[in-house]
Each structure stands twice: as C-alpha cells, then as structure tokens.
Amino acid sequence: MTVHHLNQLLLVCSLVLLVAVAAVRISSRSGLPSLLVYLGIGIAMGQDGIGGIQFDNAGLTQVIGYAALVVILAEGGLGTKWGEIRPALPAASTLALAGVAVSVGVTAAGAHYLTGLEWRQALIIGAVVSSTDAAAVFSVLRRIPLPARVTGTLEAESGFNDAPVVILVVAFSTAGPVDHWYVLLGEIALELAIGAAIGLAVGWLGAWGLRHVALPASGLYPIAVMAIAVMAYAAGALAHGSGFLGVYLAAMVLGNAKLPHWPATRGFADGLGWIAQIGMFVLLGLLVTPHELGDDIVPALVIGLVLTMVARPLSVVLCLLPFRVPWQEQTLMSWAGLRGAVPIILATIPMVEGVEASRRIFNIVFVLVVVYTLVQGPTLPWLARKLHLGRGAEAAADLGIESAPLERLRGHLLSVVIPEGSRMHGVEINELRLPPGAAVTLVVRAGESFVPLPTTVLQRGDELLVVATDPVRDAAERRLLAVGRGGKLAGWLGVNDAEDNHR
C-alpha cells in the first residue's frame, strides 16, 4: 500500500463514517434499527451495488468481526450496573447455557425437517442464531425504560451466551464426527470457568491499579481501561478459555469500580463501540452477494419463524420456570432475543473451515437476521407498553459525577452535574448532609462560577465541585446520588447512602 492508496482509503472510510453517523439520526427517528442501515451501506459498496467492490474474504471478516465484538462487549460491560445485574445473574446464566441448548436443538430440528438441510448444517445454523447479539441488545434496551430485572437479565444473557455458542459452532464446523454431548458440555464448562476467572482477576487488578495511580493526563484513563478489558480477552483466549466472557466480566468490574474521570471513559468507550459496530456491519454487507440470496429467503423465513415463535419462547419459559418470573416479563424476554452481527460473524466460521454448503448457511443467516431484526427491533417498545412494563419517568435522572484524584493532597475532586429530573433541584447546600471531610467548594451556574453559602439553593443544570478526602470519597458520592434520587429527605424516604454502590 502506498501513501496514495492510504489517502484514498482514509477518504472512503471517513465518508462511510459520516454517512453512518447521519444514518443513526435517521434510524432513531424512523425506528429502523441502525444495524440494517450499516449493512445497507456495505451492500451498496459491494459488487452488486454502486461501489462495485469485490470482497469475499471470509477469514478477514471473521478476524475483524471478533475484534469488533471484543470492543462491543467491553463497552457493554462498562455500562452494566452491578446493582441491576446482580439479582438477574442466576436467570441470565441459565438462559445463556440451558436456554442456548434448548434453542439450538429446536431450531436445528426445524431446519432439518422443514427445509431439508442436513443435520450438520442444521446444527450449525441452530447454534449460530441461538446467541442474542450484545450490540443489538445494549443499543435497543438502553433506550427503553424497562424494569431493572428484565434489562439486567437480557444484558447479562447477551454478554454470557456468546462463549458457549462460539464453542458449539466451532465444534459443529470442524471436520470429522462431532464430539458426544457430554464432552461438549465439559469443554464449555471449562472454557467458561477459565474465562470468568481471568476476566474477574484482570478487572479487579486493573481497577485497583487505576484507583491507586494518578496518571499525568485524564485522556490516559480511557485508554488504560480499554486496554485492560482487551487484555482480559486475549489472556482468556490464549489460556484456552472464553475470551468473550473474560472481556465482558473485566469491563463490568471496571465499570462498577468508581474510577477517576469516568464520564470521559464512558464517552471514549461508547465512541469505540460505535466505530466497531459500523465497521463490522459494513464489512458484513460487503461480504454478502445479494443476487445469491433469492433461493435462501424462504428457508431463512421458516427457520426464523421456528426460532422466534417456538425455540426462543420455549427456552425462556423452561429456564425461567424456577425463578417465578411473571408471564409479562417472560413474553417480553422471548420477543427481545435480538439477533445482529454476532450470528452473521459466526456464520463465517463454517466458511473458513470449508464446511459443505457453508455459503448457503451464511446467506440463510444473513436473511434471517435482517428480516427478524426489522420485525423485532421497532416493535419491542410497543410490546413493552402493551404489557405495562415501561417504567415511565418515575425514576429520577442520576447525577453525572466525575472524579479526579488529587494524589499529593490525598483527596478527590468530584465534578457533579445536576440533570433535568434530578431531585437535587431546590435542595440547599447544608441539606446535602455530606460526610465530614467533604464540602461543596464551587458552583457553576449559567456560565458563572461562585463560592456557595450553606443556604445556597441548587438548581437544574448546576455543576458542583466537591472536594473529598480519600476516606470519605465513596460515602460522599453515595450521598450525592441518594439526594439526587430522593431529595433532601432521601434517608427518610428509604433512598439512603448505602443503597447504591453502582453508578
């Protein structure tokens, strides 16, 4: 590649990113899932589109797809609140393991008996489409005010179930006889255990280090956080464990560790997540050949119908039966088993392994994902309203709190932004009842800054600078969050300092 080629590549990539950013705005207004727009951009650039780009490298697509999925899982883990996901862990783990097994079996049986696919091909398709897509789930659910248990279960499931599905797809795609089911179960359990152990260890050590070392520039914290998360994936994969589970758990530990300059880190990770999604979907759109899809549309619709209407609801009902989840929540979780780029990426594995009819498998999965994403994504908010599961606006908006360490002074400077809907509006400074060792030193209001009095009344849009010593830093943040949610009477109303340990 010459510099001239690099200039052309940078021009094309920047134009694609700008079009994709504009497409997000359009898709948010129309309700059309943005991933379909990105796929459309890739198809338009491909050999059947106006771009005419010839691209058929499944191996490169798989590698780039894996890298993008690592970034997406890291971003999702950083945004997962431990307080919401903790009660949902048993149900989510059951869905990610037993639910995947049920979904694979039912979908594979439907593919074999209804469309005439051979058993190996049917099992590959069943495994590929049984994983809910982390990018789709994270992007859709965080725009819908669902109950915490539903959101926590679906987010944790999408973060956990990639690992067993990858193992199954690789096993079914490998030449030779497929291992017995108990051997596969043992491999899945071992890889998950290794990945979980490494992810938790790397996340904890990384969080400890970032909390005890003051970096010279705030921009280094987001880089360090993402590097730690990616390290968890690489270490887990090299140790023959589940790197995908490792990166998600490591990111979740980091995301709940109250690290310095957290809003900047979340913004950086969110931006990387968007770039990963855009690049991954555009590349997948380039890989597909639209004129070859005609014969695979009907099988894809049939298999998707079995997956959506039979396999997914059955797995949800069976797995959530011990947890006594209300039928409304079960219905929503059945419909919210969103598919996205992950199944399409996994469909490249049999292509790389040279499985017979692997191109047809890829085409079926592509059509299935496009059609059922177009159906499920826009209808999910409507279904939530019909089932009366929307939380509405009763929850006050959380404060935006950013912490910068003052290493030599053995303290922290907390920057607190009071958003719309916060119950801190109308509270006097002395009514915050911050612990000894913490104080509001400055208020920025409408572009003007001033030192507040104890009787200064806080307003929406104010930015507060709070100085806290090391021992009371966490207690001060918990108290600020409690007042933001419950107002000056937070303790009397049951919203107390110890209630929330998550951001």
Side-chain angles (χ1 to χ4, degrees):
M1 176 179 288
T2 65
V3 174
H4 179 67
H5 293 149
L6 175 63
N7 295 337
Q8 291 178 329
L9 180 62
L10 291 177
L11 177 61
V12 171
C13 290
S14 60
L15 289 175
V16 169
L17 285 176
L18 289 174
V19 172
V21 170
V24 174
R25 180 67 174 173
I26 297 172
S27 65
S28 63
R29 288 184 173 182
S30 64
L32 183 70
S34 57
L35 68 89
L36 298 182
V37 179
Y38 303 152
L39 286 173
I41 294 173
I43 293 173
M45 294 171 58
Q47 57 182 331
D48 286 356
I50 58 176
I53 299 176
Q54 301 287 331
F55 181 79
D56 59 357
N57 194 331
L60 178 62
T61 304
Q62 180 184 342
V63 171
I64 295 178
Y66 269 43
L69 184 57
V70 170
V71 175
I72 291 169
L73 285 172
E75 190 276 329
L78 291 174
T80 300
K81 297 180 179 179
W82 174 244
E84 290 185 0
I85 200 176
R86 179 174 54 190
L89 277 180
S93 302
T94 305
L95 278 173
L97 296 174
V100 162
V102 173
S103 186
V104 170
V106 174
T107 306
H112 175 71
Y113 290 111
L114 297 179
T115 66
L117 289 173
E118 297 180 0
W119 270 115
R120 180 180 289 271
Q121 300 166 3
L123 286 170
I124 291 174
I125 290 181
V128 163
V129 300
S130 292
S131 172
T132 55
D133 183 72
V137 170
F138 294 149
S139 62
V140 171
L141 292 186
R142 290 176 184 176
R143 297 197 305 265
I144 304 174
L146 297 175
R149 178 168 62 178
V150 175
T151 301
T153 301
L154 291 172
E155 288 191 359
E157 179 200 7
S158 66
F160 293 161
N161 64 11
D162 290 335
V165 165
V166 170
I167 298 171
L168 289 176
V169 175
V170 171
F172 295 149
S173 301
T174 304
V178 178
D179 291 336
H180 294 293
W181 63 270
Y182 51 85
V183 177
L184 285 178
L185 285 181
E187 292 178 356
I188 292 173
L190 179 61
E191 291 197 20
L192 291 179
I194 294 173
I198 291 177
L200 292 173
V202 170
W204 186 86
L205 290 173
W208 183 87
L210 290 176
R211 285 173 62 90
H212 288 80
V213 176
L215 298 178
S218 60
L220 295 176
Y221 283 92
I223 297 174
V225 168
M226 292 302 296
I228 292 168
V230 174
M231 182 192 301
Y233 166 80
L238 291 175
H240 302 288
S242 172
F244 293 123
L245 181 60
V247 65
Y248 182 72
L249 291 179
M252 188 169 65
V253 172
L254 291 167
N256 289 271
K258 296 183 176 65
L259 299 179
H261 301 290
W262 185 246
T265 300
R266 284 292 296 126
F268 180 77
D270 190 48
L272 287 182
W274 278 110
I275 292 177
Q277 289 187 55
I278 293 169
M280 179 171 55
F281 286 123
V282 170
L283 193 63
L284 291 171
L286 278 174
L287 186 63
V288 73
T289 307
H291 72 262
E292 297 178 353
L293 299 178
D295 295 337
D296 300 317
I297 293 178
V298 173
L301 294 177
V302 171
I303 296 172
L305 194 63
V306 172
L307 171 68
T308 306
M309 305 306 295
V310 182
R312 174 66 181 180
L314 182 62
S315 64
V316 169
V317 170
L318 293 178
C319 293
L320 298 185
L321 188 62
F323 303 101
R324 298 181 179 179
V325 177
W327 70 267
Q328 294 94 336
E329 296 183 8
Q330 292 188 33
T331 302
L332 187 65
M333 283 190 271
S334 298
W335 192 246
L338 303 175
R339 271 72 192 174
V342 172
I344 306 177
I345 292 172
L346 296 181
T348 63
I349 295 177
M351 297 175 67
V352 174
E353 296 292 336
V355 174
E356 182 181 357
S358 59
R359 188 73 196 191
R360 188 187 183 199
I361 293 174
F362 179 85
N363 291 340
I364 290 175
V365 172
F366 186 89
V367 174
L368 186 155
V369 168
V370 169
V371 172
Y372 285 93
T373 300
L374 186 59
V375 172
Q376 288 178 278
T379 58
L380 194 57
W382 172 84
L383 181 61
R385 291 193 299 269
K386 289 296 181 181
L387 296 173
H388 305 290
L389 290 178
R391 290 181 299 180
E394 75 254 11
D398 271 346
L399 301 172
I401 301 179
E402 180 171 358
S403 172
L406 305 173
E407 187 176 32
R408 294 184 179 180
L409 301 179
R410 298 184 180 275
H412 290 264
L413 181 63
L414 305 181
S415 175
V416 183
V417 178
I418 303 178
E420 293 291 333
S422 173
R423 295 192 175 99
M424 191 176 285
H425 175 78
V427 174
E428 295 183 3
I429 294 291
N430 58 5
E431 293 173 329
L432 293 176
R433 301 203 305 277
L434 295 175
V440 179
T441 59
L442 197 69
V443 174
V444 180
R445 177 178 299 166
E448 300 290 336
S449 59
F450 60 92
V451 177
L453 299 173
T455 56
T456 297
V457 178
L458 300 175
Q459 300 178 10
R460 299 183 186 92
D462 285 354
E463 182 175 355
L464 319 180
L465 294 183
V466 180
V467 175
T469 59
D470 274 341
V472 303
R473 184 258 185 212
D474 290 344
E477 181 172 342
R478 288 197 299 269
R479 180 58 193 166
L480 290 168
L481 287 170
V483 176
R485 294 172 180 176
K488 67 181 72 176
L489 303 179
W492 295 349
L493 296 175
V495 185
N496 53 51
D497 303 354
E499 179 190 65
D500 296 287
N501 293 318
H502 57 280
R503 193 165 282 90

